[in-house]
Amino acid sequence: MATMFGELSPRDTDNHIEIVLPTIIKRATDTNKFISEGAEKALIAICNNCTETRVFAALQAQAQKSAIYKEKLCLGYTVLIERLAHKLKNFRDLERLVQTVVRFLSEGAVEVRNQAKYAILTMQSVSGTQRELDGILLKARLNENQMEKVRKVLSSEDFESLSNYANTRYGASMRASPLGGARHTQYNAVGVAVPKHKVNGSYGASGSDGF
């Protein structure tokens, strides 16, 4: 599936996104590592290669179920933000995209919140300047509470707990994807923060956000 969406043109795959995406995201939450890794690669391929507006519409149409399902949805938004790069500020659905990601910052599950933080950090890394990032956030029409959450993510220098995420299935999938080598930013690739110190432990350990 990942190969099909990665190699065929959007003209050939766009009409199939809405049909296959629910199944792909569900499979990405599977406890079988082989199945979940393959599904994540397919999700990344879809978000990276199909028409951006069609991808966004398909992600928006998904019912937000379990925490792990929401995490995979947020992964899709993160890849889309990275893929849009300098075009993000002119994306026609920018307001809904940013608001959707920011809402994930308020989720109860630390895994979902951390994935949302990666999306915010990715947004920062693809913005050419601070002024451009400020313009993107302004267009999103975030309320004061939402802006405070975003500022907390952007201003924090403690990325250590998030750095553990690079060793999860998501990190492995991204390193193997076209996105993994597409852009080397201060976050390495697709928002993966470069830690100041090596950290041991598992992703989301002890329920800490790391901020």
Side-chain angles (χ1 to χ4, degrees):
M1 187 73 73
T3 301
M4 181 185 77
F5 280 98
E7 295 185 357
L8 294 178
S9 69
R11 181 181 59 185
D12 298 319
T13 58
D14 278 353
N15 289 333
H16 302 286
I17 302 174
E18 292 84 355
I19 299 172
V20 303
L21 195 59
T23 301
I24 287 175
I25 296 178
K26 183 178 180 180
R27 291 288 184 268
T29 68
D30 200 289
T31 55
N32 184 301
K33 185 176 180 180
F34 178 79
I35 294 174
S36 61
E37 285 186 347
E40 280 190 5
K41 290 178 181 178
L43 174 61
I44 291 169
I46 288 173
C47 296
N48 193 37
N49 293 288
C50 296
T51 302
E52 293 99 330
T53 52
R54 296 291 294 271
V55 171
F56 178 74
L59 290 171
Q60 288 279 289
Q62 303 310 305
Q64 297 186 18
K65 304 174 183 178
S66 64
I68 190 171
Y69 196 93
K70 293 176 183 178
E71 180 191 356
K72 302 309 175 184
L73 267 180
C74 194
L75 163 60
Y77 289 117
T78 306
V79 178
L80 181 60
I81 290 169
E82 170 73 12
R83 190 262 182 95
L84 284 165
H86 65 279
K87 297 186 294 182
L88 177 63
K89 61 181 180 292
N90 296 319
F91 185 53
R92 74 180 191 187
D93 292 308
L94 175 64
E95 180 179 343
R96 286 197 296 156
L97 173 57
V98 177
Q99 287 188 356
T100 299
V101 168
V102 172
R103 280 197 294 270
F104 282 124
L105 291 174
S106 299
E107 285 291 330
V110 66
E111 292 85 359
V112 181
R113 295 198 302 273
N114 278 353
Q115 181 59 68
K117 289 171 184 178
Y118 268 105
I120 298 298
L121 294 176
T122 301
M123 197 179 303
Q124 182 186 48
S125 74
V126 301
S127 299
T129 63
Q130 182 62 44
R131 182 177 180 180
E132 182 176 320
L133 177 61
D134 291 342
I136 288 172
L137 296 175
L138 184 63
K139 287 181 180 179
R141 301 181 183 181
L142 302 176
N143 61 40
E144 185 55 37
N145 182 55
Q146 291 173 321
M147 278 300 302
E148 181 59 31
K149 289 181 181 293
V150 172
R151 282 194 290 265
K152 185 177 180 181
V153 174
L154 295 176
S155 65
S156 177
E157 295 181 353
D158 178 15
F159 297 130
E160 292 190 344
S161 69
L162 282 177
S163 70
N164 294 318
Y165 200 54
N167 297 320
T168 65
R169 293 200 307 265
Y170 166 66
S173 296
M174 293 311 303
R175 287 193 297 270
S177 76
L179 281 173
R183 183 180 296 102
H184 296 284
T185 68
Q186 59 182 313
Y187 304 113
N188 223 3
V190 197
V192 179
V194 180
K196 295 180 180 178
H197 306 288
K198 184 176 181 180
V199 180
N200 296 318
S202 61
Y203 165 49
S206 302
S208 171
D209 286 0
F211 291 122

